[in-house]
Amino acid sequence: MSMSTPDTGAGGAVGVAGLWPRRRSVWLDSTVALLSAAECAFNAGNFVHKQGLGSAWVVAAGLFGVLASVTLLVRRRWPLAPVAAALATIPLQAGYLLLMVGLYTLGAYRSEGVTWRFAERRAMSLLCVVAILETTLVSALTIGTQHAEALRSGVPEYALLILSGLVSVGITVAPTMLGMYVGARRRLLEALRERAEGLETELVLLAEQASERAQRAQVEERARIAREMHDVVAHRVSLMVVHAGALERVVRRNPDRAAESARLMGDIGRQALDELRQILGVLRTVESAPVSGQEAAAALAVPASDAPGLADVPRLVDESRAAGLGVRLTVGGARRALSPDTERTAYRVVQEALTNVLKHAPGADAEVVVAYVVGGVALAVSNSSPARTGQLDDCRLPSGGNGLVGMRERVTALGGTFTAGPTDGGGFRVEARLLAAR
């Protein structure tokens, strides 16, 4: 949009609001300059005429006064110009209005550079003193011609000098103080407006940061809930599928073993349902009454006395053995106190690693190593290359690829390290190191 195109809407309102004060300032400066030009031209010409000079000098003095008054048109940009022009016209007994407006402007407006330095209080005081002395001196030198009638009436000269000094003080000090007051008030308002704008900007940034933090908390909480559901349900469902496959194979040959597998499937299924019901109940609560990520985490958290830990790893290993997995458990080092989060994370790492063996390496042997080391605990779950195929291949379980990702996220969230990858013998190895509670 070009500058000449009328603004519309909110932008147009702002443009009109900003244009009106500028136009008013131009009209005000033009009016004051016109009045000052009339005063300067008349008084300067009258002074030259009383000195007995010719008409040419009278016209020149009038033109000089007009040119001096033109500086009022640029007084807001160059506040020092009207003051300098007034000091030049005072010897002609003219420019008093120009001086008053100039001193007011110099106090009210501060420009950059040299003009700004002249707007300081010391410089203002100096200019006032110069103007007072110059006005008083001119009045004293011209007292015989300017106040001849008063002298003939018997007014003493010292009274006229005192009156001239008081008038000089009045026409310089008063506009200077008024200008400094208006300038200080304007600068205060500008500072308050800038501060308000800065606070508004800061509030907007804080709101944006809070929104970003809320979004990150939601994403992190969703990932945490997904990990919790995966770790809680996937292992038990995997065991149920393995037991179902074994049940199908031995139901006719070994009814007792089939009954044992069926009983184990029932127990595992009930545990899975209980844990799943707990998680879904929390999710329904969060959905019906939105809460923060910390509140949701607290709701999903298992009490410390019920939370699984490294002490439950032997039971986990027994469940895997009951499912037909050949697994060996080794625990080394002096057991030390770990935080509930560390205990639970270590348990989940072992649980998910054994689940992966059941899923991806049916028939393979596995080894679980739990070593209490300086500063924490080290875990390692490895399996050999699958040695059997055939029917066991039909029991392979589907995988979404979230197990390793969840384990890594859990471990790194507590400041630990996690590695996983294939071994030279065709197997797979998962290693994690968790820090002890401080």
Side-chain angles (χ1 to χ4, degrees):
M1 182 180 292
S2 64
M3 294 299 293
S4 61
T5 303
D7 291 333
T8 58
V14 174
V16 173
L19 184 61
W20 168 245
R22 290 197 295 270
R23 289 182 176 178
R24 185 175 59 182
S25 300
V26 171
W27 280 105
L28 178 61
D29 293 347
S30 300
T31 302
V32 174
L34 183 62
L35 294 176
S36 177
E39 184 266 336
C40 287
F42 176 79
N43 288 337
N46 186 41
F47 175 81
V48 173
H49 176 70
K50 288 182 178 181
Q51 300 302 318
L53 300 177
S55 300
W57 288 100
V58 173
V59 173
L63 291 176
F64 178 76
V66 172
L67 292 176
S69 299
V70 171
T71 57
L72 290 176
L73 297 176
V74 294
R75 67 186 181 94
R76 301 174 191 271
R77 186 172 183 180
W78 294 295
L80 185 60
V83 178
L87 294 178
T89 57
I90 284 179
L92 300 178
Q93 289 287 313
Y96 296 107
L97 177 60
L98 178 61
L99 177 63
M100 290 189 291
V101 177
L103 290 174
Y104 166 81
T105 304
L106 194 59
Y109 296 92
R110 288 187 176 184
S111 302
E112 298 294 334
V114 178
T115 307
W116 182 87
R117 292 196 295 271
F118 272 97
E120 296 295 335
R121 291 188 177 183
R122 293 183 179 178
M124 294 292 295
S125 301
L126 178 61
L127 287 174
C128 288
V129 172
V130 172
I132 292 172
L133 293 177
E134 184 178 8
T135 305
T136 304
L137 180 61
V138 171
S139 298
L141 293 176
T142 59
I143 193 171
T145 56
Q146 298 294 328
H147 304 286
E149 185 176 353
L151 292 173
R152 286 194 298 269
S153 300
V155 179
E157 292 186 2
Y158 71 86
L160 294 175
L161 290 175
I162 293 175
L163 180 61
S164 299
L166 293 177
V167 172
S168 300
V169 171
I171 65 176
T172 54
V173 175
T176 301
M177 297 301 294
L178 179 61
M180 294 180 68
Y181 167 76
V182 172
R185 185 171 180 272
R186 178 185 292 111
R187 288 187 291 273
L188 176 61
L189 292 177
E190 291 177 355
L192 292 176
R193 182 168 57 252
E194 291 177 356
R195 183 177 180 182
E197 293 175 353
L199 289 175
E200 183 178 0
T201 303
E202 184 176 356
L203 289 176
V204 172
L205 292 176
L206 290 176
E208 292 178 352
Q209 292 175 359
S211 177
E212 292 176 358
R213 286 196 297 269
Q215 292 178 357
R216 287 198 299 269
Q218 291 178 357
V219 173
E220 292 174 358
E221 189 58 27
R222 289 174 181 173
R224 197 186 70 83
I225 293 174
R227 290 195 303 268
E228 195 71 22
M229 294 185 67
H230 179 275
D231 293 343
V232 167
V233 179
H235 177 73
R236 302 196 183 281
V237 173
S238 299
L239 292 177
M240 291 173 63
V241 173
V242 172
H243 280 295
L247 179 62
E248 182 181 1
R249 291 191 301 274
V250 302
V251 65
R252 295 180 180 177
R253 298 194 306 268
N254 192 343
D256 294 336
R257 184 176 177 184
E260 179 67 17
S261 296
R263 186 185 63 79
L264 291 175
M265 286 177 59
D267 293 341
I268 295 171
R270 281 189 291 273
Q271 294 175 4
L273 286 175
D274 290 340
E275 294 174 341
L276 183 60
R277 188 179 298 111
Q278 179 185 2
I279 296 175
L280 293 180
V282 173
L283 292 179
R284 290 194 187 97
T285 303
V286 173
E287 183 178 358
S288 60
V291 296
S292 64
Q294 293 181 349
E295 293 173 344
L300 282 173
V302 180
S305 58
D306 300 332
L310 289 174
D312 300 304
V313 170
R315 177 177 57 82
L316 188 65
V317 171
D318 291 338
E319 292 178 354
S320 298
R321 286 172 180 165
L325 178 64
V327 55
R328 183 174 68 256
L329 173 62
T330 302
V331 179
R335 180 175 176 81
R336 59 174 51 86
L338 301 174
S339 67
D341 289 339
T342 303
E343 289 272 350
R344 183 167 54 251
T345 299
Y347 176 85
R348 294 301 186 194
V349 169
V350 176
Q351 181 187 54
E352 179 59 29
L354 292 177
T355 301
N356 286 342
V357 176
L358 290 172
K359 285 182 179 181
H360 306 294
D365 294 328
E367 181 180 8
V368 178
V369 177
V370 179
Y372 292 93
V373 297
V374 178
V377 61
L379 308 171
V381 180
S382 59
N383 64 272
S384 61
S385 177
R388 291 176 291 172
T389 58
Q391 289 182 330
L392 289 176
D393 289 337
D394 298 333
C395 298
R396 289 183 182 270
L397 302 175
S399 174
N402 297 317
L404 293 177
V405 175
M407 283 190 284
R408 186 183 303 276
E409 290 177 350
R410 283 182 178 274
V411 172
T412 55
L414 297 180
T417 58
F418 178 85
T419 58
T423 61
D424 295 337
F428 199 85
R429 184 178 180 86
V430 173
E431 294 182 354
R433 185 185 179 98
L434 295 167
L435 301 179
R438 294 181 178 179

